[in-house]
Amino acid sequence: MAEYKCFDCNKKVSMDYLRKRVRCPYCGSKILFKPRGVTTKVKAR
Ligand SMILES: [Zn+2]
């Protein structure tokens, strides 16, 4: 399962939250990254 981490609050964000829009469900940040593997930033428009 793919998991992202919030750039701001550092919490784990499941992919389910990112289906419709890329946004942290905890703090509302739009910058998430993958904690392991290739460093990939996902930015919402
Ligand atoms: Zn956050």
Side-chain angles (χ1 to χ4, degrees), residues 5-11 13 24-29 31-32:
K5 251 187 166 188
C6 175
F7 193 78
D8 277 347
C9 67
N10 231 29
K11 284 188 180 178
V13 182
C24 172
Y26 305 104
C27 70
S29 170
I31 304 177
L32 307 170

Side-chain angles (χ1 to χ4, degrees), residues 5-22:
K5 251 187 166 188
C6 175
F7 193 78
D8 277 347
C9 67
N10 231 29
K11 284 188 180 178
K12 283 186 206 167
V13 182
S14 138
M15 276 297 282
D16 287 346
Y17 290 107
L18 309 179
R19 276 188 169 185
K20 290 182 180 177
R21 56 188 68 179
V22 178

